[in-house]
């Protein structure tokens, strides 16, 4: 499909590397190799997607004169840009912003920008960086948004950055048949090893391995030949459709549409080799059909033996709570370990943490009371074994519904710190005071500033600087606005019932 200048397009397609060529091909077709300036910018959720997009662009562009850069690291990309300008660049919003702030990159010549995938970008908390980045782009640049599901937050991005966009989705009137599917969570580079282990475990009399692109087909064909399967008539072969006698359909790539999924699976047992980021895409494709994790046998044997009470607790967390951020945080480990092994290691850490004695100094112990009191007390205990701590002021508090776990999670996820670098957390009515290791304070301020916590954009600065701007705090015993915060009730130390301590 041709994308004309200034035209906005929305693609709804799964988080699958095989889908990249579909939205990228019309964009790279407009890149002029004779012009050295940046023409196409692809904003991705992380470095892994940026590398996959750049790899697809290399395969799609015939001209070797076109410079393509995967901005998986800002310092490396800055050095390459200094040597030779890029016509195509892919990277996360925060990495691209870092290049702009370092004067390594300018966006005034960009003809088209693609946000891929918008739903995952939102899950990673990159929306604030995206907003700053989009403000730097020329207004006439074509806007392309890719998402696995068009949720309300994604629709808000489309309305803001790609209004009146043409939409490319599966046919609306398509009759969808739900299919029970099992999945093995793997990293992209671990699919071949997982496929071999799956074939060993299942030992099917007939099976197809669903592939959508040539690179996947070559990889699967080479593996099958090495295992002793060869020729089109073999019982196990790469294919896009399951025959009536097919016993097992293994989804090496993720289908792009409901029709493609039905054709790939047929009446066979279906097992997907799934990246964690693709789980929601598969759930949407399968239209409510059951999805169940499949445990490869050797990993299951190593991870068995946990008490049923722990399993029940984990089931409740999976069923009742959102765990998207945690899934994305653990995804890089799937390159080396099975999902069951990672879960077992996380469970071991949990048991060790629960078994460790907790001593709370009397001066810091909050009054007995609500679950919020207990949660706040635990989060405020210093986690570092030693070293100086710096108090940071954050513009979110009780009235925003923020909890200590939200602040620790934001610091760990956005700033890349271990929770041991976070100390006491004091949640007030309209702001919070968080202690972090002094040598990491500047990194936390830089990475958390402008992000959102509980739907509110956060401003972070050192508490001593913030206190100089709040003279009423010192004169009114820690309260602002003449003794009461907005809302009419006095501010209190999170979970303690006492006034704030300085």
């Amino acid at each position: 499909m041709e994308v004309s200048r200034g035209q906005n397009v929305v693609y709804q397609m799964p988080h699958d590397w095989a889908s990249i060529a579909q939205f990228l091909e019309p964009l790279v077709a407009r890149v002029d190799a004779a012009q050295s300036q940046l023409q196409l910018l692809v904003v991705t959720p992380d470095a892994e997607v940026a590398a996959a997009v750049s790899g697809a662009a290399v395969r799609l562009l015939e001209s070797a004169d076109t410079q393509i850069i995967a901005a998986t690291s800002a310092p490396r990309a800055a050095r390459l840009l200094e040597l030779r300008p890029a016509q195509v660049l892919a990277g996360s919003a925060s990495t691209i912003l870092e290049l702009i702030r370092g004067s390594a990159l300018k966006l005034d010549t960009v003809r088209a920008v693609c946000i891929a995938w918008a739903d995952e970008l939102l899950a990673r908390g990159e929306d604030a960086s995206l907003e700053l980045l989009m403000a730097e782009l020329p207004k006439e640049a074509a806007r392309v948004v890719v998402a696995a599901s068009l949720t309300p937050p994604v629709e808000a991005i489309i309305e803001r950055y790609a209004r009146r966009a043409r939409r490319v989705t599966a046919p609306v009137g398509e009759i969808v048949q739900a299919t029970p599917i099992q999945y093995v969570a793997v990293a992209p580079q671990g699919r071949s090893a997982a496929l071999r282990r799956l074939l060993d475990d299942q030992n099917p009399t007939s099976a197809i391995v669903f592939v959508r692109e040539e690179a996947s087909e070559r990889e699967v064909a080479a593996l099958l030949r090495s295992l002793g399967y060869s020729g089109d008539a073999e019982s196990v072969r790469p294919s896009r459709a399951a025959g009536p006698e097919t016993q097992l359909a293994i989804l090496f790539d993720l289908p792009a549409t409901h029709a493609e999924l039905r054709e790939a699976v047929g009446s066979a047992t279906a097992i997907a080799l799934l990246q964690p980021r693709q789980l929601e895409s598969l759930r949407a494709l399968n239209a409510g059909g059951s999805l169940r994790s499949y445990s490869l046998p050797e990993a299951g044997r190593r991870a068995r033996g946990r008490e049923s009470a722990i399993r029940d607790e984990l089931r409740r967390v999976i069923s009742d709570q959102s765990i998207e951020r945690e899934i994305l945080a653990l995804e890089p480990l799937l390159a080396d370990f099975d999902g069951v092994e990672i879960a077992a290691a996380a469970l071991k850490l949990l048991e060790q943490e629960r078994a460790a004695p907790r001593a709370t100094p009397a001066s810091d112990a909050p009054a007995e009371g609500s679950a919020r009191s207990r949660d706040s007390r635990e989060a405020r205990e210093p986690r570092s074994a030693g070293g100086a701590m710096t108090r940071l002021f954050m513009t979110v508090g009780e009235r925003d519904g923020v909890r200590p776990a939200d602040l620790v999670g934001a610091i760990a996820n956005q700033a890349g710190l271990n929770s041991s670098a976070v100390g006491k957390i004091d949640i007030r009515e309209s702001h919070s005071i968080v202690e972090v290791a002094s040598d990491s304070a500047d990194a936390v301020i830089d990475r958390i500033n402008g992000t959102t916590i509980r739907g509110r954009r956060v401003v972070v600065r050192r508490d001593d600087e913030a206190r100089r701007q709040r003279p009423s705090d010192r004169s009114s015993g820690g309260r602002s606005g003449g003794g009461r915060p907005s809302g009419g009730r006095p501010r209190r130390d999170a979970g303690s019932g006492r006034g704030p301590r300085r």
Side-chain angles (χ1 to χ4, degrees), residues 42-80:
V42 184
V43 186
T44 65
D46 55 27
E48 185 179 356
V49 181
V53 167
S54 296
V58 169
R59 293 190 294 272
L60 290 168
L61 280 167
E62 298 178 356
S63 173
D65 295 331
T66 303
Q67 174 76 341
I68 301 168
I69 291 181
T72 54
S73 160
R76 183 186 63 81
R79 181 177 58 82
L80 293 175

Side-chain angles (χ1 to χ4, degrees), residues 143-291:
R143 315 294 176 93
V144 174
V145 178
V146 186
S149 55
L150 301 180
T151 60
V154 172
E155 290 286 3
I157 281 185
I158 294 170
E159 176 64 22
R160 183 178 300 176
Y161 304 127
R163 299 184 66 182
R164 296 185 293 277
R166 180 146 59 108
R167 301 197 175 216
V168 181
T169 60
V172 176
E174 187 176 19
I175 299 175
V176 179
Q177 178 181 356
T179 304
I181 298 177
Q182 300 178 75
Y183 66 89
V184 179
V186 296
Q189 59 269 37
R191 289 184 298 172
S192 289
L195 175 59
R196 191 270 304 163
R197 295 163 65 190
L198 187 57
L199 290 172
D200 286 347
D201 185 42
Q202 288 283 313
N203 190 22
T205 57
S206 64
I208 65 109
V209 182
F210 175 80
V211 290
R212 292 189 63 237
E213 61 175 12
E214 292 181 5
S216 296
E217 186 169 3
R218 289 193 298 269
E219 184 178 349
V220 169
L223 174 67
L224 295 181
R225 282 197 302 271
S226 71
L227 295 177
Y229 303 104
S230 60
D232 293 338
E234 276 296 337
S235 57
V236 180
R237 66 188 190 280
S239 176
R240 294 198 176 196
E245 304 300 323
T246 302
Q247 175 189 358
L248 176 66
I250 301 172
L251 305 179
F252 193 81
D253 291 328
L254 196 63
T257 65
H258 303 295
E260 198 170 50
L261 176 62
R262 289 201 307 271
E263 187 177 8
V265 173
S267 59
T269 298
I271 302 178
L273 302 181
L274 197 68
Q275 301 166 53
R277 69 179 77 239
Q278 297 174 325
L279 184 57
E280 288 304 315
S281 298
L282 183 58
R283 183 173 284 116
L285 278 175
N286 203 25
S290 65
L291 295 181

Side-chain angles (χ1 to χ4, degrees), residues 101-121:
R101 288 167 179 160
S103 301
L105 185 67
K106 293 183 178 180
L107 305 183
D108 52 346
T109 59
V110 171
R111 298 179 180 178
V113 59
C114 176
I115 304 171
W117 275 257
D119 44 352
E120 186 179 341
L121 187 145

Side-chain angles (χ1 to χ4, degrees), residues 446-479:
D446 182 58
R447 297 293 178 86
I448 303 296
N449 240 328
T451 63
T452 56
I453 299 177
R454 288 277 172 172
R456 181 180 177 87
R457 183 148 311 154
V458 184
V459 175
V460 186
R461 53 185 180 269
R462 293 176 184 269
D463 185 47
D464 53 359
E465 298 174 3
R467 202 183 305 188
R468 286 195 293 271
Q469 300 174 23
R470 306 195 311 271
S472 58
D473 275 9
R474 293 191 294 274
S475 61
S476 59
R479 298 187 179 109

Side-chain angles (χ1 to χ4, degrees), residues 1 26 50 82 91 93 105 117 130 148 237 244 267 299 318 362 389-390 407 429:
M1 181 187 68
E82 187 177 357
L105 185 67
W117 275 257
L130 178 65
R237 66 188 190 280
S267 59
I318 293 170
M389 304 293 283
T390 295
L407 301 177
E429 180 71 20

